[in-house]
Amino acid sequence: MDSTAVESKPGSWLSPAFADRAEQVAIVILWAFLAWRVDLSDNPWAPLLLVSESTIAFFTLIRRPTTRLSMRLGDWMLAMTATCAGLLIVPGYVLSESLVTIGVLLFIGGNLFQLWAKLVLRRSFGVAPANRGVKISGPYKYVRHPMYVGYGIVHVSLLLLMFMPINLLIYAIGWWAQILRIKAEERVLSQDPAYGEYMKQVKWRLIPGVF
């Protein structure tokens, strides 16, 4: 078996089960700090950060446990970097009042799209690369990682509604990690013949004709 997905050894503390639980704790702690920053902010759009990021915390807590989880340190660092990007954003200022309507519409559309993907995944949602079951319905019929497409739209909207240079840097690092994370996820998932067939049917990861 490839070292990217391993079964836990009896008596071993460094197991997929332990790593899975540690990931859940980390997400909840980061979400709590985000809620604290939002509460202190005077930007009227700051609560929108919690609307999208709360779904990550919720689905992380209810997801289905798995032993087919990547135990590579690099995979975990990429996954946590990509996930933490959204949780580290600082509520800044509205980039331009003329862009508020566009920002709100993008926020609603992006969140509905990523929520659609999450509802299809349900308890198969995760942060680190893992096989919690192959899903091929809903938005997964069009691209292999529709949830990340929704995240990208939301991130653009939040830059319009609460811009700060540090937020631009955070998202840039987050998306660098996200692209590498996608490749790590597919390395784990492709061990499943069902996912191999799915990759043949749906050729594009995020943007048809591009990537």
Side-chain angles (χ1 to χ4, degrees):
M1 180 180 291
D2 191 329
S3 62
T4 58
V6 299
E7 300 278 344
S8 57
K9 297 179 180 180
S12 173
W13 69 271
L14 186 56
S15 64
F18 176 86
D20 209 42
R21 189 65 64 196
E23 178 187 79
Q24 290 175 324
V25 171
I27 293 298
V28 170
I29 291 174
L30 288 172
W31 180 91
F33 276 107
L34 176 64
W36 174 70
R37 293 197 304 277
V38 167
D39 184 59
L40 294 177
S41 174
D42 58 2
N43 185 322
W45 302 106
L48 293 182
L49 279 169
L50 294 181
V51 174
S52 58
E53 298 303 329
S54 291
T55 59
I56 295 177
F58 175 74
F59 280 90
T60 297
L61 292 175
I62 68 168
R63 71 185 175 202
R64 181 186 299 111
T66 180
T67 56
R68 300 178 70 181
L69 179 71
S70 174
M71 295 304 291
R72 290 184 177 181
L73 178 60
D75 289 352
W76 274 84
M77 291 179 67
L78 287 173
M80 291 305 294
T81 298
T83 301
C84 289
L87 293 166
L88 295 175
I89 292 300
V90 179
Y93 54 89
V94 175
L95 189 60
S96 171
E97 290 296 334
S98 64
L99 297 175
V100 167
T101 300
I102 295 175
V104 172
L105 290 176
L106 286 174
F107 181 84
I108 294 172
N111 268 296
L112 288 176
F113 196 72
Q114 61 95 0
L115 183 58
W116 183 23
K118 281 189 173 75
L119 290 175
V120 171
L121 287 180
R122 296 182 185 177
R123 296 190 65 204
S124 296
F125 173 79
V127 176
N131 188 341
R132 293 184 172 86
V134 178
K135 303 294 182 179
I136 58 175
S137 60
Y140 290 87
K141 293 185 293 186
Y142 309 110
V143 290
R144 299 204 295 263
H145 302 273
M147 187 163 52
Y148 300 154
V149 175
Y151 288 165
I153 297 172
V154 169
H155 293 167
V156 170
S157 75
L158 293 176
L159 284 174
L160 296 178
L161 296 172
M162 50 195 78
F163 184 81
M164 286 189 73
I166 187 63
N167 291 344
L168 187 61
L169 177 61
I170 288 171
Y171 279 142
I173 294 173
W175 273 98
W176 166 78
Q178 192 78 282
I179 298 302
L180 296 179
R181 170 195 195 180
I182 286 172
K183 295 180 179 180
E185 285 183 350
E186 293 194 339
R187 185 179 63 247
V188 174
L189 290 168
S190 62
Q191 297 176 45
D192 187 334
Y195 196 82
E197 286 300 313
Y198 171 63
M199 292 174 72
K200 295 177 183 177
Q201 297 172 21
V202 180
K203 298 186 180 299
W204 302 103
R205 296 179 173 104
L206 294 176
I207 305 174
V210 179
F211 178 70

